[in-house]
Each structure stands twice: as C-alpha cells, then as structure tokens.
Amino acid sequence: MASRRLDRLEILVKTVLDVVDPNDANGRKVYVDRVKMNQLQNLLHDALIATEHVQNCVIIRRKDASLRASSVGFNLYQDQIQKFIDAFKDPPRTREEGIYFDNNNYKCVRADKNSIYAKCDKIGLVMVKTQTLLILGTYNENMYPSVCVEAVENLADYFKQKGK
C-alpha cells in the first residue's frame, strides 16, 4: 500500500513540477494553469492530509514568498509567510525565541538550516526547506507528530531530488 501511494505521489509531482516555479529562462512570469494548481493541491492532500496526521499544509515558493498551494481552508497572510521564511535565516535564534503563529507561541524542538519543528502544548508545526520551496504542515492533539514529520520530510525529499 505504501509503494502504491508513493507511485501515485510521483505521478502527481511529475505533473505539477512546472507549477512550482512558473518563470521562464528570462525570469518572465509564465501563465500558471488553474488545473495544475489544483493538481498541486491534490498532491498536498495525497502526500500529507491523507496520512491523517497532518491537519493543514502549504507549499511556499521562497524566492518571492508566494503561496503555491494550500490545504482546503488553510490561509496564511503574507507577513506569516515571510516569518516562516525568515525563521531559517537564523536557526539558533529561532530555536531560542520560538515561532509565533495562529495566536500561539510555539517552542522549537528542532531548528536547523533545513527543518524546523515547533510545538505548543499538544499542537505543532513542521517546516522543511528545499532549494526553492518551503513546505509546512501542522498537527493537532489527536495526531502523531512523528507521522507529520515523516510525511512533510518525505515530500520535501522528493522535491529536493527533483531540484525544486
């Protein structure tokens, strides 16, 4: 069953990779097909939400802090997106100060150049940075943090292998 899920994940990722960085070689904006954006959201659902241990998730393009896809009903403001990106600029400071998100102060349990894990009581968030993206997943008190971490890290590893 896990290999079938990975096969489906790979097909979805191949279908939507060009959505992640829709600029041509000259840096001009390229039209992003709405269907492909929906496919990227489907990828988030199949790779993360379907584990039932990721409550909400987003994919953010780091260079312009743009939201590329999000789980249904999960919205981030531009200043929140920028704070998540900035958290990777100084991991020791992030580890010390934590992350303020959704009216909660999250304590960092891991902060390095590639991953940040933070929790507040029994809820938490997992952020993983790739070459061009930031993938964020959240979990609640009824979910296993370790499964959320594994799902987000696996999706990020896949994008890293593809150079994204």
Side-chain angles (χ1 to χ4, degrees), residues 16-48:
V16 298
L17 273 179
D18 61 325
V19 174
V20 171
D21 195 5
N23 289 329
D24 67 8
N26 297 319
R28 295 181 301 230
K29 290 285 181 196
V30 177
Y31 174 75
V32 178
D33 186 358
R34 199 168 195 69
V35 171
K36 290 182 181 177
M37 288 303 290
N38 287 336
Q39 289 173 334
L40 192 54
Q41 287 180 297
N42 288 341
L43 171 66
L44 280 176
H45 182 273
D46 290 348
L48 302 179

Side-chain angles (χ1 to χ4, degrees), residues 69-128:
S70 68
S71 56
V72 176
F74 189 54
N75 300 311
L76 295 176
Y77 295 107
Q78 194 61 39
D79 62 328
Q80 293 170 320
I81 292 172
Q82 193 59 54
K83 283 181 185 181
F84 291 144
I85 292 170
D86 291 345
F88 284 95
K89 293 179 180 175
D90 189 359
R93 182 177 177 194
T94 300
R95 196 177 310 114
E96 183 179 313
E97 294 179 3
I99 296 173
Y100 187 78
F101 170 66
D102 201 23
N103 296 322
N104 290 306
N105 194 24
Y106 288 76
K107 177 184 174 188
C108 281
V109 293
R110 175 182 179 170
D112 60 37
K113 65 180 183 169
N114 295 312
S115 301
I116 296 174
Y117 307 161
K119 67 178 188 171
C120 178
D121 295 321
K122 295 181 180 184
I123 61 173
L125 59 91
V126 177
M127 294 188 289
V128 182

